[in-house]
Amino acid sequence: MKKIGTLALTLALAGSLTVPALAAEETAVPISADTGYGTALVLNGETLDLTGIPGVSGEELLPLRLLAEADHGSAYWDEENNESWFYFGDNRITVKFADNSVWVDDEQVKSQAYVTGGVTFVEAGVLEMLEGYTAEQAEDGSSITITTPNNDPMVKAAYQIMEDSGMAYAMRTEGSEAEQAFQLPEGSFEQVIAFTSMNTTPDTLVLGKLAEGADEKAVKAALEAHRQAQHDTFSWYLSQNLPKVEDARILVENGYAFYLIAENADAGEAAFHAYVQAQTQA
């Protein structure tokens, strides 16, 4: 594998850069001789399905929406301003289609987007500007391997639990913020991640590795207090959700804490047990 570095000279933040206003069609990359995107993309160990991604000329061009959504982010088109926002964790890449300029967290970069077949591409170096993101191309150019902060085993396990349990979620918190949100004893965890849903559903996940000497009973009591509050709320508000609250799981196993309210708690618990087993055997 080789580190992608083609943008080393062109991706400096452009505080005073002026990009000429060009029509999107003028900067679009022509479709290549291939009928589709010719480079395999591996994101955090998973090979992505590239169905519908058109071929483009030029090396190391990445389809932004596909990557954002595969990395548990999102994409949004602002029709009024003719720009798209691609969210990667706390970061946002913006493409302004009037001139195909690229912005990373409100700073313009010396690179332009490429648009073809309704798909927006950027050079791989743009993604590498995000903290914790790397991209490496195979020596033969056949694939690009991308790693992100979501490659963390606990984060991957949390998303797997949510998928298996059919959990709805909207907000992610980690570390001390998660402890505070659930009124957990300060410093209870070496690592913890939590997901909570909108107020129309009680769906919740807390997954964490307890710190040495942590008070397991106090942790479970805090989680039970949260579950009871959800029970009190959904006893009268959207009560069709109450069975999920009543089937909630609060567990501590081999130093890992688990709290889940979801449609299929059994499947979520099974995924938790598999994660803990994998960690203790590593």
Side-chain angles (χ1 to χ4, degrees), residues 93-95 100-104 107-109 111-113 122 126:
I93 297 174
T94 302
V95 175
N100 280 4
S101 60
V102 180
W103 302 69
V104 175
E107 294 284 352
Q108 188 175 354
V109 301
S111 180
Q112 283 191 305
V122 295
V126 172

Side-chain angles (χ1 to χ4, degrees), residues 115-127:
V115 183
T116 186
V119 178
T120 302
F121 297 84
V122 295
E123 294 168 287
V126 172
L127 195 66

Side-chain angles (χ1 to χ4, degrees), residues 27 38 85 112 124 127 140 164 199 204 244 246:
T27 56
W85 307 335
Q112 283 191 305
L127 195 66
D140 62 2
D164 290 354
N199 58 10
T204 304
K244 290 194 288 187
E246 294 174 336

Side-chain angles (χ1 to χ4, degrees), residues 1-4 39-40 136-145:
M1 304 290 286
K2 61 181 180 180
K3 183 76 170 179
I4 291 176
T39 304
E136 294 184 340
Q137 187 176 52
E139 292 294 337
D140 62 2
S142 62
S143 65
I144 296 176
T145 298

Side-chain angles (χ1 to χ4, degrees), residues 75-85 92 94-95 97:
Y76 173 76
W77 179 44
D78 180 355
E79 182 177 5
E80 181 178 355
N81 293 307
N82 192 26
E83 62 186 40
S84 283
W85 307 335
R92 185 178 80 182
T94 302
V95 175
F97 295 112

Side-chain angles (χ1 to χ4, degrees), residues 62-78:
L62 301 176
L64 265 183
R65 184 187 185 106
L66 174 70
L67 288 176
E69 293 180 344
D71 196 43
H72 308 291
S74 61
Y76 173 76
W77 179 44
D78 180 355

